[in-house]
Amino acid sequence: MTSIKRITAAFAFLFVTSATAWADGETAPARDPKQPVDAAYTEKIHKYTTQPYFTSPLVDYLPASKTVPTPEAVLGDVSGAPGILPYAEDVYRYVRLLDKATPRVKVYSIGKTEEGREMIAVAVSSEENLQNLDENRARLAKLADPRTIKLDDAEADKLVAQAVPIYYITGTIHSPETGAPTALMELAYRLAVDESPYIKEIRDGTITLITPVVEVDGRDRMVDIYKWHLAHPKEFFPWLVYWGKYVAHDNNRDAMGVTLKLTENVLNTYVDWKAQVMHDLHESVPYLYDNTIGDEPYNAWIDPILADEWQIIGWNNVSAMTKFGMPGVFAHGDFDTWSPGYLMFVAAMHNGISRLYETFGNGGADTEERTLQPEEYARTWYRQNPPLPKVLWSQRDNNNYEETGLLTSLHFFNENKRMFLKNFYLKAKRSTMKPGAEGPAAYVLPADDPRPGLQAELLHVLQKQAVEISHAKSAFTVTLPTKKSKESGKGKEKKEKEEKAEPAPPTTREFPAGSYIVRMDQPYSRIADALLDHQYWSPDDPQKTPYDDTGWTFGELFHAQVTRVTDTKVLEVPMDRVAEVHAPGGVKGDGAVFAINNSAEPALATLRYKLRDAAIEAAEEPFESAGKKFNRGSFLVRNVSRADLDRTATDLGVQVTALGAAPSVKTHAVRAARVAFIHTWLSTQTEGWWRLALDKLNIPYDYMSTQAVAKIPELNAKYDVILFPPVGFNAGVNPVVNGIPTAWGNPLPWKNTPETPNLVGKNDSTNDLRPGLGWDGVARLQEFVQKGGVLLTATDTSSLALSLGFADGISTQSASKMKIVGSVLGTRLVDDASPIAYGYDEKGAAYCDNGPIFSLSSIAGQRGRRRLGPDMHARPTGRGSPDDPDFTVGRVGAEAPEQPKWEAWEAPPVMDEQKRNAFRVIPPANRPRVIFRYADSKDLLISGLVEGGDEIAQHPAVVDAPSGKGHVVLFSINPVYRGETWGTYSMVLNTILNFDNLNAGRKDATQ
């Protein structure tokens, strides 16, 4: 059979299939027989599609155009061709060719990445729609903010009838998921050129907006790796150790904190265009999983209208593609839709519709045989036409699924656009009416918060989310609901106590003038409510495998005061909208000594590094001066001009008080430590958030791999502090120290070469990714600490340091029942004299994700005794009451010594027997010093999921372990995470600033 006959036969088969399936009068998904087909392109589509049921009548051909170039003009072959992965710039070059060739396509630049690469959005619609973008945007803006039409449903209906909706598609946020750019190149062509009624209806009725590459930096690196693979076909190729400059897979967890440029650019595009849908393309599952429907629990703050829309669109998608005979299309799975951190949730939290596909990619453009796991090809109630157990799969197959899914979704959306536009308006209206419905009325951030800098950082996040913020013109008072007590009790006794108790009256709180008010009667109240409220994931929830974090309350994580107000009178307070939030700063008062109160604000560290020549000391005790109270750790600044200090402090939002004389208080120097930052080549995912935070704060550091550390002979000569942030996974001794086996295979380079010009970017390089820290590197780090250096570790690297024997008197214990999934936990300050604790309150909050359980011991080489709650010291069975001593018949009673007691965060006391020949007893000055601990069990959970929390409750959360002349500072919490944990940043920064005085305030320092 000739190629033309084969194409014709396929058309006939698919036309009959579609005609039968759409016999109810719907527009048939079939080409326009009057429009010519690009036969050569179409022939290659068939050639690269491995089975006829891996395509559809929507993408089984390409319409021809005499004026508009196909993707082949840039790719040299069709979209999805084997061996071809375009760089982002190639994709841009193609869509800009479309822009020049047809008035149905317009390309917009939407911002730059951290490494300076461009991000774009491509609008595809009818010429008329694109000519009238401004008028249409004005209509959509009124629907997006119903206040502009006074919540008038009749006026909204007029706008709904006139407006053209916008469907925003984003691709390749995850760089190893490589198929979307070529699919979206071809999709743009089809939408611009195809004259079939099915496609024409989409083009005339909807504006399709496309960002073909979201993670541009990572895309170019991935293409480099693939080209290296093609040039070395018989060799193993490097894994994608860096995606963007900072983070990898977590770039799709940034929709809350908005710390990455890609998130900010996409969010701004979505909000500015007033889009109704955001549809994000991913690859991981055979063959197309519409995971928008997912599984419970759904995010508690979404509008129920959205949950309904997910079902309507998702199941229609499955139905349409099932009619095409395409296997492996399903919409239900174990992905819960709880966290609002995913990129698609930009739409969900801004009154749109969030959508996400997982299709089947090969991590490149090779055609490969793939063998699935039984659970992947099993037939279930929601997957009646499952994937095949084994398949030859191509990038073209993947593109066919992506394009078919998008086109069916676009068409269904367009057919029902009036409903979806009305829903868009209704969700915005319901958001605006929140105070009188489910509440709250507002969130208030007081003007007298002792941490105005952290308050400002939190408000900046809300402003990035397009949330309106107001300033109270005068003081005001609100009524607050009474909180239920956490008193213990069980069963009948507790019930009777509750019945007898008089209901407590509501309380009131006064807020000073200048307090920030986040009103809930605004269109984007939903995202503010979701970020500022508390979350609770029940341990009894049927969903036992949360997909991501379960708690994220931003006020707690930022250590900023936030009050949820249900009293609607707060909306009557005189207030002004705030355009820009900036913490107050600058120098006030007279004198030659300048004091800065330490409230654990990160800006103090920035100030120290900006004023390198200034002499700065930290007060080791609180003091009062100039009518103000200053906390431990407050800065005393000299040797700097008032003008320079004022300018720097104003920029940073740091308040400085000039004093006539220095206070009579013990101090120590605060120096700008020389910092090294270690990463492994196993993963740079979690440590990337630490780099981003340090860069934002302008804290300088030398970034190096574990391989490089092993080659520096005298670390102390170059560095004062070494940061070893979490690896994120696979952080055991063997992988970190020994690395990936080198006994077989080839070196895996991560270097810029003519073949791979984009790999290194602004990060790190190596000739071979496989070697680890090595035992020489372990020795270098141990020597660094012994000679006076500070090694700071967190979560898995803390466990690693203890496994390698970096500190005595502290160990980690295995959890048996504990399950803490990305939650906000309560902490308590144990040692407020430690410089690490400077500025912190007695009660706090921190992020924990099953952090290591630390236990202390005063005996070298002995594991701490694990305790779950208070030790009961129950007496053995015998005479008398539980408090009476037993007796021995025929013998005069002997009084037993009182058993010592200790808290879960403390080391057990050294027993008399252990003091005999006590060579293993650690001297008090060398014992680990607990700075923070986890809260008691009843106060442990602040937000998220905690099950079996007794295992970690009261145990140390942050420990300073002396070792030789230096220190190992160990975190069980993760203090720097996703731009969401600003409140615990200063635990790290305090360590850096006070690196050579960490023993300050230690009660047993001289023992």
Side-chain angles (χ1 to χ4, degrees), residues 195-206:
E195 296 298 336
S196 71
Y198 192 92
I199 303 298
K200 193 172 185 298
E201 288 174 7
I202 298 172
R203 182 169 63 242
D204 292 344
T206 298

Side-chain angles (χ1 to χ4, degrees), residues 668 832-838 929 986 990-991 994 997-1001:
H668 64 254
D832 62 354
S834 166
I836 297 172
Y838 283 167
R929 183 182 187 185
S986 285
N990 281 345
T991 304
N994 299 278
N997 283 281
L998 291 181
N999 282 333

Side-chain angles (χ1 to χ4, degrees), residues 63 134 142 204 217 311 314 428 442 460 476 494 500 592 597 895:
D134 290 341
K142 292 178 180 179
D204 292 344
D217 299 333
Q311 305 291 332
H460 290 160
F476 62 96
K494 183 179 180 182
K500 292 178 182 178
N597 188 38
E895 185 176 351

Side-chain angles (χ1 to χ4, degrees), residues 125 168 213 225 241 337 380 388 420 543 619 682 756 765 768 840 901 921:
S125 193
Y168 187 19
V213 184
I225 286 178
V241 69
T337 316
T380 65
L388 285 71
F420 290 123
Q543 175 62 269
L682 300 168
T756 56
S765 63
D768 190 357
Y840 280 97
K901 297 181 180 180
V921 175

Side-chain angles (χ1 to χ4, degrees), residues 35-231:
Q35 184 176 22
V37 168
D38 187 323
Y41 195 106
T42 301
E43 182 178 2
K44 287 184 177 180
I45 290 176
H46 284 268
K47 178 181 178 182
Y48 301 144
T49 300
T50 60
Q51 292 292 343
Y53 42 76
F54 290 155
T55 190
S56 74
L58 291 171
V59 299
D60 197 63
Y61 69 96
L62 195 78
S65 172
K66 294 181 180 180
T67 58
V68 181
T70 71
E72 193 169 10
V74 168
L75 300 177
D77 208 329
V78 306
S79 287
I84 296 178
L85 278 189
Y87 288 107
E89 191 55 44
D90 298 327
V91 179
Y92 297 174
R93 185 155 51 93
Y94 174 67
V95 293
R96 286 190 164 112
L97 289 177
L98 291 180
D99 188 331
K100 290 180 180 179
T102 171
R104 296 173 176 176
V105 177
K106 288 188 180 295
V107 178
Y108 300 87
S109 184
I110 64 172
K112 296 289 183 70
T113 69
E114 282 81 2
E115 295 186 356
R117 293 181 176 87
E118 184 187 23
M119 292 180 64
I120 65 168
V122 185
V124 188
S125 193
S126 68
E127 183 175 357
E128 180 183 0
N129 288 340
L130 295 185
Q131 285 177 342
N132 298 317
L133 281 177
D134 290 341
E135 295 91 333
N136 188 65
R137 188 175 300 181
R139 296 187 190 101
L140 293 176
K142 292 178 180 179
L143 294 175
D145 187 354
R147 297 171 301 180
T148 60
I149 57 172
K150 300 179 180 179
L151 299 120
D152 186 336
D153 291 353
E155 182 64 24
D157 287 340
K158 294 177 185 177
L159 294 167
V160 166
Q162 298 169 346
V164 179
I166 296 174
Y167 195 112
Y168 187 19
I169 303 167
T170 54
T172 312
I173 186 173
H174 283 167
S175 304
E177 301 166 11
T178 55
T182 50
L184 294 174
M185 291 167 71
E186 190 174 280
L187 180 75
Y189 176 90
R190 292 181 187 279
L191 291 172
V193 170
D194 201 325
E195 296 298 336
S196 71
Y198 192 92
I199 303 298
K200 193 172 185 298
E201 288 174 7
I202 298 172
R203 182 169 63 242
D204 292 344
T206 298
I207 297 169
T208 303
L209 193 64
I210 302 170
T211 292
V213 184
V214 173
E215 178 53 275
V216 185
D217 299 333
R219 173 66 181 190
D220 286 358
R221 291 190 177 97
M222 185 64 203
V223 175
D224 275 4
I225 286 178
Y226 184 67
K227 290 192 171 184
W228 191 94
H229 157 65
L230 293 179

